[in-house]
Amino acid sequence: MSQLKALIITTNLTIKQSLIDILEAHGIDSEVDEQWKRSFSNLNKYTFYFIDREALNQAEGFTLPVSSFLIGITSERSFDEGREWMKAGAYDVVVYPEEQSRLNEIIQSSKEKVKIQQESFGEASSGGGQVEAFYSAKGGSGKTLLAAMTAQSLQIHKEKRVILIDLSAQFGGLETIYGVKTNRSYIDLQPVLKELSLNHIENVATRDEKTGNYILLGPSNPAKAEDITEELITKVIRTCRAHFDHVILDLPTSINTVSFTGLNEATQIHYVLNPDSLSLRCFKYAMELFERFQLGTRGNLSILLNRAHPKSELGEKDIAKLIGKEVDASIRSDYFSLQPLLNMGESFYKKEKDKGQFKPARDIRLFVDKVLL
């Protein structure tokens, strides 16, 4: 196993020296700083991040790779603060100085997990995969279909390693598009959440033989959907991101724990818009929420106009003018060509040079080239 490294960020001299001594006893090299810097986002460098509350605020927006362990250092017990650490992906939180002795157990268990991961999958992945979230505030917009077509194009045309996650947990939808029959879903990962690895994901996911896509389904059960937690969705996405080139999220229409977590974890949000006034009304309200929660505000929001047709109520230029934002890709309507493939669970592309047999398939391939790559 390669030499492990830790980053310590705190202004407390007592905590700083204590951590250095403990890490040295475990054979772990440590670097120390008093404040967070952008250069610390070198995901390949550190196995452990020991940071205090102030550093956590400074590191806002930092995505922790699954191969690393974020350990929070705090001086008081607080439910609200604990929730912030959890959202940041903290492996554990230690209250200093009363829980100082517990650090040895945390570090030892973390080292064992790193060893198992490296033996199973080689050196830890940098976690540099892209998370593409397909969302629309209007039901029936076609986002599930576009997500599936995008996943297939990335895998077949670009030879990317892709996993498609169905976060529409109550009733699903992807199993119909791919013709998948399985009772397994990411809710089954709840018991192994602390040790979640690629192995667990592959045991629960289904691999489509025709396209090569991995498909991770939701429970498709409203009762079980109530048991889905923010921690589960976050860890599933981050584990997948560490081992796949693209993680495609099919998000539910409603803004809830599942959809908000997916949007928050996304490196790119693709909003699916239909060319009608109802869709524009939903878009307006969605953007107000996005702005309030700082979603898609880092230049990572793209607009997909789906079911575009010359006889539509609104054209692409009309929509761009009304929403004050350019449409990034337009997907043409072609219901009668598309429906037979959906009914039979057939893939939309057959081979690398296949441009697509119908208009939406050809448009999605252009979208992948123009927006995703």
Side-chain angles (χ1 to χ4, degrees):
M1 185 170 65
S2 60
Q3 179 65 50
L4 302 181
K5 293 183 180 180
L7 174 66
I8 302 169
I9 307 180
T10 180
T11 55
N12 188 307
L13 296 177
T14 303
I15 292 176
K16 187 186 301 183
Q17 190 56 53
S18 174
L19 286 172
I20 291 172
D21 293 341
I22 292 172
L23 290 167
E24 187 177 350
H26 283 274
I28 299 173
D29 292 340
S30 57
E31 295 181 17
V32 183
D33 209 302
E34 293 188 352
Q35 62 182 1
W36 181 267
K37 297 176 182 176
R38 287 189 178 183
S39 58
F40 294 149
S41 296
N42 182 350
L43 304 184
N44 288 318
K45 192 170 183 180
Y46 306 107
T47 305
F48 297 93
Y49 291 82
F50 293 89
I51 67 177
D52 59 19
R53 174 64 183 277
E54 183 179 350
L56 176 66
N57 294 335
Q58 294 170 350
E60 185 178 357
F62 167 64
T63 301
L64 185 79
V66 173
S67 53
S68 297
F69 297 86
L70 173 64
I71 299 170
I73 305 296
T74 184
S75 58
E76 59 181 29
R77 298 181 187 275
S78 166
F79 175 81
D80 291 336
E81 186 174 330
R83 183 174 173 80
E84 287 184 35
W85 284 109
M86 184 186 74
K87 287 176 67 177
Y91 177 70
D92 211 327
V93 181
V94 177
V95 180
Y96 253 78
E98 57 188 277
E99 293 185 343
Q100 181 178 338
S101 60
R102 197 163 62 85
L103 263 178
N104 284 304
E105 299 175 18
I106 295 172
I107 294 172
Q108 188 57 42
S109 67
S110 303
K111 286 173 64 180
E112 290 171 1
K113 289 177 183 179
V114 170
K115 184 178 180 181
I116 291 171
Q117 185 179 40
Q118 290 182 351
E119 288 175 351
S120 301
F121 310 115
E123 288 297 313
S125 169
S126 64
Q130 299 299 304
V131 182
E132 317 282 354
F134 284 77
Y135 175 78
S136 178
K138 176 181 174 289
S141 63
K143 58 181 175 55
T144 299
L145 179 61
L146 298 190
M149 292 173 68
T150 300
Q152 292 183 19
S153 180
L154 283 166
Q155 187 97 37
I156 294 172
H157 297 139
K158 307 300 179 182
E159 297 184 343
K160 299 294 185 180
R161 185 170 163 83
V162 181
I163 186 166
L164 182 56
I165 306 178
D166 190 349
L167 293 181
S168 299
Q170 290 197 350
F171 298 108
L174 284 175
E175 62 270 34
T176 302
I177 292 176
Y178 281 88
V180 173
K181 293 182 179 179
T182 179
N183 293 321
R184 296 174 297 177
S185 73
Y186 47 76
I187 198 74
D188 298 321
L189 297 172
Q190 190 71 52
V192 294
L193 208 53
K194 288 292 183 182
E195 299 82 26
L196 193 60
S197 69
L198 175 62
N199 226 3
H200 297 121
I201 297 291
E202 290 184 329
N203 285 339
V204 172
T206 300
R207 189 171 192 187
D208 181 53
E209 294 181 0
K210 298 186 288 289
T211 63
N213 287 164
Y214 280 88
I215 306 143
L216 187 54
L217 299 174
S220 298
N221 184 317
K224 288 186 178 181
E226 293 297 319
D227 298 329
I228 297 174
T229 64
E230 181 180 344
E231 183 184 16
L232 171 63
I233 300 302
T234 299
K235 291 203 171 183
V236 166
I237 293 173
R238 292 183 182 182
T239 302
C240 290
R241 187 181 180 189
H243 300 287
F244 290 87
D245 298 314
H246 290 270
V247 181
I248 310 291
L249 307 180
D250 176 29
L251 299 178
T253 296
S254 59
I255 295 290
N256 53 27
T257 299
V258 174
S259 56
F260 180 79
T261 304
L263 289 166
N264 204 42
E265 290 292 318
T267 53
Q268 186 79 15
I269 299 171
H270 307 292
Y271 190 100
V272 180
L273 192 63
N274 295 145
D276 57 61
S277 54
L278 178 58
S279 189
L280 284 173
R281 181 173 178 271
C282 293
F283 174 81
K284 175 179 177 292
Y285 291 131
M287 289 304 102
E288 289 175 358
L289 281 174
F290 275 33
E291 187 174 347
R292 185 185 309 168
F293 294 114
Q294 296 297 295
L295 298 169
T297 56
R298 301 189 303 273
N300 62 333
L301 175 68
S302 65
I303 305 297
L304 274 68
L305 180 62
N306 191 31
R307 300 183 188 137
H309 192 275
K311 294 184 179 180
S312 296
E313 179 184 348
L314 298 165
E316 183 177 326
K317 291 183 178 179
D318 299 321
I319 289 174
K321 186 176 180 180
L322 287 168
I323 67 176
K325 179 176 174 58
E326 291 297 318
V327 173
D328 295 274
S330 185
I331 316 300
R332 289 170 290 177
S333 177
D334 196 356
Y335 175 84
F336 293 105
S337 298
L338 182 62
Q339 198 59 43
L341 291 180
L342 291 175
N343 292 340
M344 295 183 291
E346 290 291 329
S347 60
F348 304 112
Y349 309 99
K350 307 297 182 185
K351 53 188 177 181
E352 184 181 348
K353 294 184 179 180
D354 186 356
K355 295 181 179 179
Q357 299 176 10
F358 52 95
K359 295 173 185 176
R362 293 194 287 271
D363 293 339
I364 281 292
R365 184 169 185 181
L366 291 174
F367 159 70
V368 168
D369 288 335
K370 176 185 175 183
V371 180
L372 299 193
L373 301 176

